[in-house]
Amino acid sequence: MRNLVPSAIKVSTLEPAYNEQISDSASSDCVHESIVAAAFDVDRGLIFAASEDAQFGMRIWRTPVDPCEWNPPILCGSFASIDPKVLSLRVIGESAQLVLVTRSGDTVTWQLDDSGELISGPDVVGSVDSGILSVEWSPDDTLLVMITGDENLILMTSTFDVLSEAPLHTEDFGEDAPINVGWGAKETQFHGSIGRAHLKPSTQSPTQIQEDPSDDGLPRVSWRGDGAYFVVSSLARQTPQSGKERVLRVYSNEARLQSTAENVAGLEPSLSWRPSGNLIASTQKDIRVGPSDTQRTGKHGVVFFERNGLSHGGFNLRGDDRDSRIKHLAWSSDSNVLAVHIEREHGDVVQLWTTGNYHWYLKQEISASLSTHFTSITWHPEVSMRLLLTSPLQIIQHDYVWETCAGANDTGCVGVIDGQKILLTPFRTQNIPPPLSSHQLLVNTPTDASCGSLFLSQVPPHISLSQSHDLLAAVWQEGHVMMWALQTRITPGGAAMNPILIWSANLPRELCHCRQVIVSSENDDDEHRTISAAILGSDVSGNDRIVIHDFEHVILPLKSILPTRSRSISLQQKNGRLVPHDVPGHLAWQAPDGSILQVHREEESYSQICSFTEYCPFSQRVGAQLFVGLSTGGKVYIAIPNAESTSLASNVNSFTVASGFVIFTTTSHDVQFAPLESVVAILTSGQGNGMLSPNGDENKTGELASQAWQKRRVERGSRIVTAVPSTMSLVLQMPRGNLETINPRPMVMKVVKSDLDAGLWRKAFMACRKHRIDFSIIVEHNQEVFVAGIPAFVEQIEDVDYINLFLTSVGRSQLPAEVVANVCDSVRQDLEDRDLTKYINSILTAYVVKSPPDHEAGLALLLRLRDVNPSLVEEAVKYIIFLVDADRLFDTALGMYDFSLVLMVAQHAQKDPREYLPFLRELRALPKYYQHFKIDDHLKRRAKALRSLSLAGPEYFQEALDYLDTHQLHDEALAIWQGTDKYMDVLGIYGAWLFDRHEYHQAASVFVEASDARRAMISYERALQWQELFELCLKEQLDGDAITDIAYRIADELLSKKRFSESARVLLDYAKDIRQAIHSLAQGNEFAEARRIITLHAKPELVDQLLLPCALDCRAQIGDDINEMREQLCKQVARLTELRIKKVEEPDAFYNLDDPTLHNVDVMTDVSMAPTTFTRYTVAPSATSKASKRSSKTKRKMERKLGSGRKGTVDEEEYILKSVTKLVERCATTQGEIKKLLPHLLQLSKAHREEGVALQVEFDYLQSELRAAIEDIWKKPDEPTPVDSWATRMQERAKEQLVEPLQRIPRPEMSTSEWSLKLLQQKLTG
């Protein structure tokens, strides 16, 4: 569905000085110079051409490849020869030589410098005495094939060393000759007695094939694209049985004959092997034997052969070419375009053919100017769409691009050029695969009235469809333009379109090489329209010129129209391109450097408004501000006035703008949608959010684009044909030519949201239903508007099934539960108000799908309707059973205590009566509330069952107590029986339950509330709440012995919990045991309190009996703790030092890295082995990972092991740091104990004072060592000075793989509070 359109044209004409010199010197014999061959110099960007002249011999010309340079070619060399006939001109890049081969047999070379100048004279490196008939270089310029005058085939190297020489004509088929074993031959088949006569050889002589008089008899040579084979077309030697006929022979690159093609009548000399290698192209002419021969048409056709010599189809050329001759064939370097050079009496033409879906399209027809002839055609070896033509006085270069001609979005019309036919298909109404089409518009070439001759070119080089209205325009190379009103039908019935020609004209003579037309239009009002046609061509100097025809205030419907004014604007640059647009006032022209110029129609001037980073042959103007372009390198650029151009994406092969998106396909086989709003916003804000990157960061841009925009996978190689927003469709063409229409989600959502904003609820609903979009989007788009518009929504939808579908989709969506409930209730209420009978199923659906579902309300509705309309209820029950699980609905009905409803549900659910009838009979026999209890218990509604049981009567109270205790319904029971005489019983059961759960504090409170003092005291004692316990004991007036026993038990428990002060208080207040109280305080290092009590109660003997030994015991215990901490600190500091040395010296062992000595060691064998996931971390080789098989328990165990700090693991250092931190905390705790003990050691006795001094010294040493260790461990490392590169690399790798433990474990701070006694320090210094 693409057209091959010209993007640039360059014409280099020999200077008049050369022409005059030739005319003066050769006027006597009328011999003129003629350019006959040309060659591309890819490395230097030049074109070399060779001309023939009887007087000057052969001359070499040079011109740049750049299409913007129209300078005359420069004469750079010559070679004198008696017979100046050029066969080949070639630039050999490897040796920097220009090689010329002449018909007389000479091979001439010139040496080239870097600028393309000939730095040496002509050097004849070889000569063939018999002359050369044909010559061809291999594609890589390493081999040369010559056919000599004595019909020998010579294969030479690029240095002209002969590799092979052999006769051209041979009877041998070749190395690939087929072997016939007779299977399937006529001779081996049964034919009967009559049919066997046909197997006898015919006695008639074969008809001699008439020779083609236009055949020059010269051989032709063509190479395959990879240089592995070449084919030779030559006339076979005439025999008595047959005349001369063309034969194709295929040779390898070693000149060994591979195969000989089958004989084809009328085969012509032209020959070209497709670079991709699958086809050998030649031409054939149906030659009439005589006037009476009506079977042959005399027309020309292209025939294809395979490498094995078998024919492989072909196609006929268009038009009446009986008197013409096919001079040459040439394939483009990408094998997509076949150029056919046709020589005619009134002027040569070159036709460009392409194929798609097994059909050959005639895309372009280039006519020779001034009724001259083309002398050669050549494709650029690297730029696939660059064609080089030569005429006697001109070097003509044409650049082509592929373009899709798509029209207005409301019709989706696409036009395809195929010769004199334009194939039109409106994709809004029809999707017809090529080469078929909805309509074939025949465009007959007009007659130029001024000269009375026919236009040479029969094919328009460019066509254009209006982007806003149903108009088509076509322009011809010679300057003729035509415009049609297509009248495309968008309603069902009738022809797809009915085009009428509304305008045609010949353009001014100063405009030549017309290559583009743009038609645009806008409505003035309902009955009038303004149309504009802009034609781009060149003037005689090559500068672009735009001719604009305006048709203002045209009356609708369109018929024949005439332009109201015409303008001609000359530009000072060459080979630009008009930017397609929709409104006449938006005409713009893009220069070859990417600059975009606004064309001012009224002033007939132009000014630059913005520019692309590079030239984009495919561009489009969106509105008045935004320009979108696609470069030949696959980059999409966007630009707006007063802002830099920005790369939108890379690796793009097609794009279009529709539905508010820039839609483009990529070589990654996906289609992406970039919203226009966000693109324009980013450009206007100067790329503020960084989504797009200006001028060059394409990788980042593509990555961000793929993440930010919606995309969809498509078939490999897909390209956009057109987008039809009204049908939400995007038409793609596959590489093989077939079409695929998709409905991308962004385009669908654009239409759906537009319909929702307009209140077209049914249209939006049907679009969502057709394209499988969640109906919740109808609610999400604008919830408030939807809720307000529910009456209109229901009125437009109306269909019950559609409403059910909508409610079900909303109920299953990700909307919040309250939103779903609100929507369902609102729709249900509207349906009930409209017609309860009609919408009963939809109402039930609303009850069921809301969150949470309200099944009881739905069944209650059926109960209300049961007496009014039984048949309706029966159908509704079936429907709700369809929506909800039958067993669940049965339980819901049972929970409503209505057995008739239960039976109705059970019967329509087809439940077995033996399953539910006995159970229902049993329930019917029970009292009302006990029946409800049984139903609720069956349905596991425990709280409701307990309430029903409480209403059943006092005789069921004990069962209720057992039920609440069994199912732990204590909170519900307390609420039910609060304020009754049974409340205390419930409290007792609740307290016992708490007591069994060891919640003694809560149980005690419950027992106090229940006035159960005995169990309350037990609970207080278990909870060690001794204040509340003894308060309750005194209130209950227990005797002294009981209180003493309780005091001793409580004191022992408190002592075991290390609550020494509380234990002593209980012993003093309630057991009156001073000695035991002093012992408890001494055990807890509470010597101050102990001495106070001894003094208070006048018990000095307890000092010697308890305090003195207990103080020494406490000091000994603290001394052991200090020694233990010092020993731990010493070991851990030493181990940490060892680990850090190992980390530096042996980092691979420390981090479990691979052994570097094993790098570059190949341990693989030549035995094929299946891959496994075996690594140094796995226990045994396995084909699958075991990670997914680990249980949660195993994972938790692994997490605990991860930081266990086992010796030799990477985590050991972190474990030691944590341990040192805990040691600092322990030291702070010990410091507090020492602070409390030291004053008493100072005062009790001399021995105690000495122990105090020693204790203070020991702890001071511990603090000093610990402080020094912390400073050493947590000191900041100096800037590393790498010893060698290995250590540096290991450090960097360590930083990447593991964060330093010092960064994870904060440094602990030592306590700075005062703890020592100065008196003991003085004693120490003294």
Side-chain angles (χ1 to χ4, degrees):
M1 303 293 289
R2 295 187 297 168
N3 296 320
L4 189 67
V5 299
S7 64
I9 297 176
K10 173 187 175 179
V11 179
S12 296
T13 306
L14 293 182
E15 290 184 348
Y18 293 121
N19 297 334
E20 294 172 1
Q21 180 182 4
I22 295 169
S23 300
D24 294 340
S25 60
S27 58
S28 58
D29 51 3
C30 297
V31 178
H32 300 283
E33 184 171 23
S34 175
I35 299 175
V36 295
F40 284 102
D41 187 352
V42 178
D43 297 333
R44 299 166 184 81
L46 298 173
I47 298 173
F48 287 95
S51 63
E52 299 174 350
D53 183 78
Q55 179 181 0
F56 299 102
M58 291 164 283
R59 298 204 284 185
I60 305 299
W61 307 85
R62 183 183 73 242
T63 184
V65 175
D66 186 359
C68 295
E69 296 188 15
W70 279 46
N71 299 325
I74 300 173
L75 178 63
C76 57
S78 64
F79 176 71
S81 176
I82 300 176
D83 184 14
K85 298 294 183 181
V86 178
L87 280 183
S88 171
L89 183 67
R90 188 80 166 196
V91 177
I92 309 301
E94 184 177 356
S95 59
Q97 287 182 330
L98 179 65
V99 181
L100 176 72
V101 181
T102 66
R103 178 66 56 84
S104 60
D106 294 330
T107 302
V108 187
T109 64
W110 287 268
Q111 202 68 30
L112 301 175
D113 62 4
D114 294 339
S115 62
E117 295 288 344
L118 304 184
I119 58 177
S120 66
D123 181 17
V124 180
V125 296
S127 181
V128 179
D129 295 338
S130 60
I132 300 175
L133 302 180
S134 181
V135 63
E136 188 69 23
W137 287 89
S138 64
D140 57 359
D141 297 331
T142 58
L143 296 174
L144 176 65
V145 175
M146 288 184 179
I147 308 297
T148 63
D150 51 4
E151 296 185 334
N152 285 335
L153 187 148
I154 300 177
L155 180 66
M156 307 174 68
T157 65
S158 59
T159 57
F160 307 104
D161 297 324
V162 177
L163 297 177
S164 173
E165 183 175 2
L168 178 62
H169 301 288
T170 177
E171 299 298 328
D172 187 14
F173 181 87
E175 296 180 358
D176 296 337
I179 300 175
N180 185 6
V181 295
W183 294 342
K186 291 184 178 181
E187 292 80 0
T188 62
Q189 297 177 1
F190 176 75
H191 298 276
S193 58
I194 299 177
R196 194 174 296 112
H198 295 283
L199 299 178
K200 298 179 180 179
S202 176
T203 57
Q204 298 179 358
S205 60
T207 303
Q208 184 173 351
I209 299 177
Q210 185 173 348
E211 297 181 14
D212 184 4
S214 62
D215 194 335
D216 56 11
L218 297 176
R220 303 289 194 277
V221 182
S222 180
W223 284 84
R224 200 169 74 172
D226 59 359
Y229 298 94
F230 63 89
V231 60
V232 178
S233 172
S234 61
L235 284 176
R237 293 175 178 174
Q238 187 172 3
T239 61
Q241 290 78 18
S242 63
K244 288 187 176 182
E245 57 184 15
R246 283 273 167 182
V247 177
L248 299 185
R249 294 183 177 89
V250 178
Y251 295 84
S252 69
N253 56 7
E254 298 176 353
R256 293 202 303 267
L257 180 62
Q258 301 296 304
S259 60
T260 302
E262 59 184 59
N263 293 333
V264 174
L267 192 65
E268 295 183 310
S270 54
L271 180 68
S272 182
W273 198 327
R274 197 174 192 177
S276 60
N278 60 336
L279 295 176
I280 302 172
S282 186
T283 56
Q284 178 187 16
K285 183 177 182 181
D286 273 351
I287 304 175
R288 293 185 176 182
V289 176
S292 61
D293 187 358
T294 59
Q295 298 297 323
R296 296 178 175 86
T297 62
K299 292 186 176 181
H300 292 275
V302 177
V303 292
F304 298 122
F305 297 88
E306 299 177 7
R307 188 179 67 84
N308 57 12
L310 298 178
S311 61
H312 191 87
F315 61 91
N316 291 325
L317 299 180
R318 310 282 174 84
D320 188 6
D321 292 327
R322 294 183 179 89
D323 298 331
S324 61
R325 182 171 73 95
I326 309 300
K327 190 174 180 180
H328 189 58
L329 297 177
W331 288 98
S332 63
S333 59
D334 60 358
S335 302
N336 288 331
V337 183
L338 176 63
V340 181
H341 179 189
I342 303 176
E343 190 179 60
R344 297 172 177 168
E345 293 183 0
H346 53 274
D348 290 3
V349 295
V350 174
Q351 295 181 347
L352 303 183
W353 294 79
T354 64
T355 184
N357 257 17
Y358 305 100
H359 175 78
W360 284 89
Y361 296 86
L362 175 56
K363 291 296 186 183
Q364 287 288 326
E365 191 171 76
I366 309 168
S367 60
S369 60
L370 305 176
S371 299
T372 59
H373 298 276
F374 291 121
T375 55
S376 69
I377 59 173
T378 306
W379 288 97
H380 196 284
E382 294 182 0
V383 182
S384 58
M385 291 293 105
R386 176 165 290 170
L387 179 63
L388 183 63
L389 308 170
T390 60
S391 65
L393 297 177
Q394 290 181 333
I395 301 173
I396 307 168
Q397 178 180 303
H398 283 240
D399 288 0
Y400 293 92
V401 293
W402 292 104
E403 180 185 81
T404 301
C405 179
N409 289 335
D410 58 347
T411 62
C413 188
V414 176
V416 179
I417 298 174
D418 186 14
Q420 291 182 287
K421 295 182 294 184
I422 300 178
L423 311 181
L424 298 169
T425 301
F427 282 97
R428 177 175 177 175
T429 57
Q430 296 180 342
N431 188 349
I432 298 179
L436 304 177
S437 63
S438 300
H439 186 84
Q440 294 185 1
L441 178 61
L442 183 61
V443 288
N444 294 317
T445 306
T447 300
D448 190 351
S450 62
C451 61
S453 62
L454 291 177
F455 278 71
L456 295 180
S457 177
Q458 305 293 314
V459 181
H462 190 261
I463 60 173
S464 173
L465 286 162
S466 171
Q467 296 185 10
S468 55
H469 295 91
D470 207 20
L471 298 172
L472 170 66
V475 67
W476 275 259
Q477 173 186 343
E478 291 79 5
H480 187 77
V481 62
M482 302 175 74
M483 186 185 301
W484 294 265
L486 297 181
Q487 302 186 71
T488 303
R489 174 188 56 81
I490 59 176
T491 57
M497 59 179 60
N498 183 26
I500 59 172
L501 180 64
I502 59 176
W503 175 68
S504 65
N506 292 327
L507 300 176
R509 289 292 184 181
E510 60 268 16
L511 185 68
C512 56
H513 303 294
C514 298
R515 61 181 185 275
Q516 188 181 11
V517 59
I518 296 293
V519 58
S520 58
S521 62
E522 61 180 340
N523 288 331
D524 299 333
D525 49 48
D526 295 338
E527 297 180 355
H528 297 85
R529 180 181 301 167
T530 295
I531 303 174
S532 176
I535 299 94
L536 176 65
S538 304
D539 56 21
V540 292
S541 63
N543 291 330
D544 281 6
R545 179 180 290 271
I546 304 174
V547 175
I548 305 172
H549 293 275
D550 290 334
F551 308 84
E552 297 176 346
H553 218 55
V554 179
I555 301 175
L556 300 178
L558 296 176
K559 294 181 181 179
S560 178
I561 61 176
L562 294 175
T564 55
R565 70 175 70 179
S566 299
R567 304 176 179 88
S568 179
I569 302 174
S570 179
L571 299 145
Q572 301 305 313
Q573 299 185 59
K574 302 176 177 64
N575 291 317
R577 195 159 183 81
L578 296 178
V579 180
H581 52 280
D582 52 357
V583 179
H586 292 169
L587 179 61
W589 177 82
Q590 182 188 177
D593 60 355
S595 301
I596 299 177
L597 308 180
Q598 173 70 48
V599 178
H600 305 291
R601 310 158 66 87
E602 299 296 333
E603 297 82 0
E604 296 187 7
S605 61
Y606 55 88
S607 61
Q608 182 174 346
I609 53 175
C610 60
S611 66
F612 292 131
T613 305
E614 58 179 311
Y615 177 64
C616 297
F618 320 98
S619 59
Q620 185 173 348
R621 187 170 189 172
V622 184
Q625 297 293 320
L626 182 63
F627 292 85
V628 184
L630 174 61
S631 69
T632 54
K635 298 175 185 176
V636 172
Y637 294 97
I638 53 176
I640 60 175
N642 304 320
E644 291 186 358
S645 173
T646 300
S647 174
L648 192 68
S650 58
N651 300 326
V652 177
N653 55 19
S654 63
F655 85 95
T656 188
V657 179
S659 300
F661 296 95
V662 178
I663 309 171
F664 55 89
T665 56
T666 69
T667 53
S668 300
H669 323 307
D670 57 23
V671 55
Q672 299 190 17
F673 300 84
L676 288 175
E677 295 86 353
S678 62
V679 169
V680 174
I682 293 168
L683 282 172
T684 53
S685 62
Q687 298 84 26
N689 62 357
M691 180 180 293
L692 301 178
S693 57
N695 296 351
D697 194 0
E698 295 87 359
N699 294 332
K700 182 178 179 181
T701 300
E703 181 180 355
L704 292 174
S706 63
Q707 296 174 359
W709 298 321
Q710 299 183 60
K711 61 182 179 180
R712 166 178 173 162
R713 299 290 294 176
V714 294
E715 188 175 336
R716 180 185 297 271
S718 300
R719 296 178 183 270
I720 295 175
V721 175
T722 187
V724 187
S726 56
T727 59
M728 301 164 285
S729 61
L730 182 67
V731 183
L732 303 173
Q733 186 170 27
M734 306 302 110
R736 57 184 176 273
N738 61 308
L739 300 180
E740 179 180 344
T741 301
I742 62 175
N743 297 97
R745 184 61 53 93
M747 296 183 66
V748 175
M749 292 303 301
K750 188 73 174 181
V751 175
V752 169
K753 291 179 180 179
S754 176
D755 293 338
L756 292 176
D757 292 336
L760 303 176
W761 304 106
R762 180 178 180 85
K763 185 180 177 183
F765 176 86
M766 297 305 293
C768 292
R769 177 175 177 267
K770 178 180 179 181
H771 301 290
R772 298 184 178 182
I773 294 177
D774 195 341
F775 292 109
S776 62
I777 186 62
I778 299 177
V779 180
E780 286 179 332
H781 180 62
N782 194 328
Q783 184 178 342
E784 296 179 358
V785 172
F786 173 75
V787 173
I790 283 179
F793 173 79
V794 175
E795 183 178 355
Q796 292 183 25
I797 299 299
E798 189 179 9
D799 189 272
V800 175
D801 292 336
Y802 287 168
I803 296 176
N804 294 343
L805 182 61
F806 168 76
L807 292 172
T808 304
S809 178
V810 170
R812 295 177 179 178
S813 67
Q814 301 298 322
L815 293 172
E818 57 273 12
V819 174
V820 174
N822 183 32
V823 170
C824 291
D825 291 341
S826 301
V827 173
R828 175 184 55 78
Q829 187 63 45
D830 186 83
L831 295 176
E832 290 179 355
D833 296 341
R834 288 178 181 274
D835 191 341
L836 182 63
T837 303
K838 177 181 178 181
Y839 295 109
I840 182 64
N841 289 349
S842 299
I843 295 171
L844 292 176
T845 304
Y847 278 123
V848 169
V849 302
K850 66 186 295 187
S851 181
D854 194 355
H855 299 152
E856 290 190 7
L859 292 176
L861 175 64
L862 297 181
L863 286 177
R864 296 201 308 268
L865 296 176
R866 182 172 55 185
D867 298 332
V868 179
N869 195 339
S871 60
L872 176 65
V873 172
E874 183 176 352
E875 294 299 324
V877 169
K878 293 179 182 179
Y879 177 74
I880 198 172
I881 290 175
F882 167 74
L883 294 179
V884 186
D885 180 66
D887 294 333
R888 185 178 179 184
L889 200 62
F890 179 86
D891 293 342
T892 303
L894 185 62
M896 297 175 67
Y897 315 124
D898 191 316
F899 291 102
S900 60
L901 183 61
V902 173
L903 289 173
M904 184 169 57
V905 172
Q907 291 171 0
H908 289 92
Q910 300 181 351
K911 293 177 69 69
D912 189 352
R914 292 174 297 181
E915 295 180 359
Y916 62 87
L917 286 180
F919 176 62
L920 295 181
R921 293 193 190 102
E922 180 183 349
L923 292 176
R924 283 179 180 273
L926 299 176
K928 176 182 177 181
Y929 289 108
Y930 194 72
Q931 179 191 90
H932 293 179
F933 162 71
K934 285 294 186 180
I935 292 174
D936 293 331
D937 181 60
H938 173 73
L939 299 177
K940 294 182 174 55
R941 301 188 298 192
R942 309 298 183 189
K944 197 170 184 180
L946 182 63
R947 184 170 293 277
S948 298
L949 191 57
S950 68
L951 299 174
E955 63 272 17
Y956 296 103
F957 179 69
Q958 185 58 43
E959 184 177 354
L961 293 180
D962 296 337
Y963 190 79
L964 76 90
D965 192 34
T966 302
H967 298 290
Q968 301 176 7
L969 302 173
H970 304 94
D971 294 337
E972 293 82 357
L974 291 174
I976 292 172
W977 277 286
Q978 187 175 14
T980 66
D981 56 346
K982 306 298 184 182
Y983 186 65
M984 293 300 177
D985 297 333
V986 175
L987 284 175
I989 292 177
Y990 184 35
W993 179 75
L994 292 172
F995 189 88
D996 293 339
R997 289 171 55 87
H998 302 287
E999 298 181 18
Y1000 301 117
H1001 173 68
Q1002 299 289 344
S1005 301
V1006 173
F1007 286 136
V1008 169
E1009 181 71 14
S1011 302
D1012 191 344
R1014 183 184 63 81
R1015 290 198 288 180
M1017 287 188 291
I1018 296 173
S1019 298
Y1020 279 135
E1021 184 179 345
R1022 294 290 182 88
L1024 293 180
Q1025 293 179 280
W1026 56 274
Q1027 293 92 341
E1028 293 85 352
L1029 171 62
F1030 288 111
E1031 178 191 2
L1032 189 58
C1033 289
L1034 295 176
K1035 285 183 179 180
E1036 294 296 322
Q1037 299 179 354
L1038 295 182
D1039 56 8
D1041 293 338
I1043 291 177
T1044 302
D1045 292 341
I1046 292 174
Y1048 276 115
R1049 292 199 303 269
I1050 286 291
D1052 290 341
E1053 288 294 330
L1054 291 172
L1055 192 63
S1056 65
K1057 301 295 184 182
K1058 298 186 182 300
R1059 295 161 64 176
F1060 302 104
S1061 298
E1062 295 180 69
S1063 176
R1065 174 57 56 191
V1066 171
L1067 290 170
L1068 281 174
D1069 293 347
Y1070 300 104
K1072 310 301 181 183
D1073 190 343
I1074 298 174
R1075 182 183 182 89
Q1076 194 64 32
I1078 296 299
H1079 186 268
S1080 296
L1081 291 171
Q1083 282 186 324
N1085 196 9
E1086 300 292 341
F1087 290 97
E1089 179 67 14
R1091 294 175 68 181
R1092 186 191 70 82
I1093 294 174
I1094 289 173
T1095 305
L1096 177 65
H1097 292 277
K1099 297 287 186 179
E1101 68 275 8
L1102 294 179
V1103 174
D1104 295 333
Q1105 296 175 4
L1106 294 177
L1107 289 187
L1108 295 180
C1110 286
L1112 292 177
D1113 291 342
C1114 186
R1115 182 262 179 269
Q1117 180 61 42
I1118 293 176
D1120 293 341
D1121 292 343
I1122 291 173
N1123 292 332
E1124 181 182 346
M1125 286 189 286
R1126 291 182 65 184
E1127 183 179 354
Q1128 177 185 345
L1129 180 63
C1130 181
K1131 290 181 179 179
Q1132 290 182 339
V1133 170
R1135 180 58 181 166
L1136 192 59
T1137 304
E1138 181 183 348
L1139 288 175
R1140 291 183 173 178
I1141 293 174
K1142 183 179 180 181
K1143 187 197 304 188
V1144 176
E1145 295 181 351
E1146 301 179 13
D1148 52 344
F1150 182 82
Y1151 291 110
N1152 291 330
L1153 299 176
D1154 294 334
D1155 188 352
T1157 59
L1158 296 180
H1159 294 175
N1160 302 324
V1161 177
D1162 187 5
V1163 296
M1164 295 296 294
T1165 67
D1166 57 353
V1167 180
S1168 177
M1169 300 175 62
T1172 69
T1173 57
F1174 182 82
T1175 68
R1176 60 189 176 88
Y1177 299 105
T1178 53
V1179 177
S1182 59
T1184 57
S1185 173
K1186 294 184 179 179
S1188 59
K1189 299 181 181 179
R1190 298 191 183 106
S1191 63
S1192 58
K1193 182 178 179 181
T1194 306
K1195 292 179 180 178
R1196 288 194 300 270
K1197 186 177 180 181
M1198 291 183 64
E1199 290 175 0
R1200 288 194 299 269
K1201 283 184 177 181
L1202 187 62
S1204 61
R1206 290 186 295 109
K1207 188 173 183 179
T1209 63
V1210 179
D1211 304 320
E1212 185 180 0
E1213 182 181 4
E1214 182 178 350
Y1215 173 78
I1216 293 175
L1217 294 175
K1218 290 180 180 179
S1219 180
V1220 173
T1221 303
K1222 293 179 181 178
L1223 186 61
V1224 173
E1225 297 173 359
R1226 183 181 175 187
C1227 180
T1229 303
T1230 305
Q1231 177 182 311
E1233 296 294 325
I1234 294 175
K1235 184 178 180 179
K1236 293 194 316 184
L1237 179 61
L1238 284 179
H1240 305 287
L1241 292 178
L1242 175 66
Q1243 299 170 7
L1244 289 177
S1245 68
K1246 183 178 180 180
H1248 285 77
R1249 177 173 293 193
E1250 292 175 353
E1251 290 296 332
V1253 172
L1255 178 61
Q1256 188 164 310
V1257 171
E1258 291 176 7
F1259 190 71
D1260 191 52
Y1261 285 162
L1262 172 63
Q1263 280 193 323
S1264 299
E1265 293 176 359
L1266 188 56
R1267 190 173 287 108
I1270 291 174
E1271 289 292 336
D1272 182 61
I1273 293 173
W1274 269 275
K1275 70 178 179 180
K1276 293 183 179 180
D1278 299 332
E1279 290 297 327
T1281 303
V1283 179
D1284 54 13
S1285 59
W1286 167 255
T1288 304
R1289 291 196 301 270
M1290 287 300 100
Q1291 274 194 339
E1292 293 298 325
R1293 187 163 184 179
K1295 289 180 181 179
E1296 295 175 1
Q1297 292 186 346
L1298 181 67
V1299 178
E1300 284 293 333
L1302 286 176
Q1303 299 177 10
R1304 293 201 302 266
I1305 310 301
R1307 170 178 172 166
E1309 297 296 333
M1310 294 289 293
S1311 176
T1312 58
S1313 62
E1314 185 64 34
W1315 59 273
S1316 61
L1317 289 178
K1318 295 184 178 180
L1319 289 176
L1320 293 179
Q1321 291 178 353
Q1322 293 174 359
K1323 181 69 176 177
L1324 178 63
T1325 56

